[in-house]
Amino acid sequence: MRVLDSHLHVWDPELLTYTWLDGPYDRRFAEAELERDPLVAERVECVFVQAETISDDFLGEVRWVESLAERRGVVGIVAGAQLHRGIDTATHLEELGTHPLVVGVRHNLQGDQDGLAMSSAFVTGAREVATRGWSFDVCVRADQLPDIARLAGAIPELRMVLDHLGKPEVGTADAPLAPTVEWVRDIEELAKHPEVFCKLSGLPAEAGGRWSREQLTPFLDAVADAFGVERLLWGSDWPVSAIGPAEDDDPHAPDDGSATYQATARQRWLDAVVAWADERGHDVDALLWGNARRAYRLDDQRPADTVRRGFLGRLFGK
């Protein structure tokens, strides 16, 4: 079984600045920690997704991940970007275009004000992403999904990858929640746009690390019905989705029962998605490999000098 993990993070607070890390997240999760991850597959590659450094470190994060890429199987980078900053956005995308591993960007919208994704400045920046042939990773709350559907309608050529199924409320294994009518409606509306893909990722984190396959199956079924299997791709969301109650055999479990790193979480999520796909008769190789390569155009990456045609080039005739 070959695996392309479409949503992997690494971070190191000693190298880069993050304002959101706290509790069990506030430590290094990088090359050494990933090397100890027990994911079992014949071949494992990954797409790194920006880990929400401060914006001044977006380019530094790309350079750092590039230094790890060959050893850790990183075949693409989804870089951090702020798409609503006009000429600053243009300059940043131009610089990203000099890094051949960059296959997309993510402006993390989940903490932004409603409506930003449809502002004229944001739409202009998103159009530039589309012009470069890059993807736009969409990290939003469930109630922001209608804005993303409108953005897809405004820029139909923009290939978007929805992270974490749009972050629906899923409850926990002991207190599961069913998909809401509103979330299903908004997912179906977004899926009408053929350039939008959906990652099977992040649900363990939405459950606080207390999840079961039975609990999450209705959400997987809903996105399969909406997008079709050909637009779904598996992602681990490591290590964000590897934090929760200590596993039974963890010799380092906190005495107070607080959340901690779950060493087998990435493998368990992979196993859950594979078991679901097998039961439904879905194409496992497409979910774990082929669809991600298509979504991020990994088979037709171009050298850096052929993609440096951003705002600046058009504005100044270069």
Side-chain angles (χ1 to χ4, degrees):
M1 179 173 64
R2 55 185 183 173
V3 174
L4 202 172
D5 185 344
S6 70
H7 201 97
L8 182 115
H9 304 291
V10 290
W11 60 73
D12 188 341
E14 294 187 5
L15 293 177
L16 301 167
T17 301
Y18 313 80
T19 60
W20 66 275
L21 298 179
D22 60 9
Y25 295 105
D26 192 11
R27 49 168 279 202
R28 183 187 64 197
F29 285 98
E31 188 171 11
E33 292 74 20
L34 187 60
E35 187 173 358
R36 293 192 292 270
D37 183 81
L39 181 67
V40 177
E42 296 170 5
R43 180 180 178 187
V44 180
E45 295 180 348
C46 61
V47 171
F48 167 80
V49 176
Q50 65 97 13
E52 204 61 8
T53 67
I54 61 171
S55 58
D56 285 348
D57 280 349
F58 283 165
L59 289 171
E61 182 179 55
V62 168
R63 297 186 190 103
W64 175 52
V65 173
E66 286 174 331
S67 74
L68 312 176
E70 185 173 355
R71 296 188 301 275
R72 295 275 62 89
V74 177
V75 295
I77 293 174
V78 176
Q82 292 285 299
L83 296 183
H84 64 306
R85 293 182 174 175
I87 195 66
D88 289 340
T89 295
T91 302
H92 180 62
L93 296 180
E94 194 80 2
E95 177 62 28
L96 288 178
T98 69
H99 297 269
L101 278 181
V102 171
V103 295
V105 300
R106 183 169 82 160
H107 176 136
N108 196 333
L109 285 161
Q110 64 180 335
D112 287 334
Q113 69 269 26
D114 293 344
L116 178 65
M118 282 308 298
S119 67
S120 60
F122 192 98
V123 171
T124 299
R127 285 203 173 102
E128 174 61 15
V129 174
T131 296
R132 291 177 171 274
W134 290 341
S135 65
F136 171 48
D137 258 54
V138 178
C139 187
V140 292
R141 307 182 309 270
D143 64 334
Q144 294 173 301
L145 285 170
D147 272 356
I148 303 308
R150 286 190 281 271
L151 180 65
I155 317 175
E157 70 276 18
L158 176 63
R159 195 165 6 92
M160 295 197 285
V161 185
L162 178 65
D163 296 344
H164 316 327
L165 291 75
K167 306 193 77 168
E169 293 186 2
V170 299
T172 64
D174 294 332
L177 295 176
T180 65
V181 171
E182 293 79 11
W183 175 77
V184 172
R185 176 200 65 208
D186 293 339
I187 283 289
E188 290 176 344
E189 189 64 29
L190 182 59
K192 292 177 181 177
H193 300 278
E195 288 298 311
V196 182
F197 290 72
C198 179
K199 284 185 188 177
L200 305 182
S201 63
L203 295 188
E206 295 306 304
R210 302 181 299 276
W211 61 276
S212 70
R213 181 161 66 90
E214 295 74 18
Q215 168 204 359
L216 301 181
T217 290
F219 297 88
L220 300 180
D221 285 338
V223 293
D225 289 344
F227 286 93
V229 175
E230 67 278 4
R231 285 191 285 150
L232 301 181
L233 44 155
W234 178 80
S236 70
D237 190 33
W238 187 90
V240 177
S241 282
I243 301 296
E247 296 174 317
D248 291 340
D249 58 351
D250 183 357
H252 307 293
D255 293 336
D256 61 1
S258 59
T260 189
Y261 176 62
Q262 300 174 329
T264 69
R266 191 178 180 214
Q267 181 70 55
R268 286 189 289 115
W269 178 237
L270 176 66
D271 292 344
V273 172
V274 169
W276 163 77
D278 280 339
E279 288 178 0
R280 298 294 189 263
H282 297 327
D283 185 339
V284 173
D285 189 65
L287 290 169
L288 301 187
W289 183 267
N291 294 346
R293 295 198 70 83
R294 217 161 30 84
Y296 288 113
R297 294 181 179 171
L298 294 173
D299 294 322
D300 60 354
Q301 284 175 275
R302 296 168 291 168
D305 61 354
T306 68
V307 298
R308 301 186 74 240
R309 294 176 53 252
F311 287 164
L312 299 180
R314 288 193 289 276
L315 282 174
F316 301 111
K318 296 180 181 179

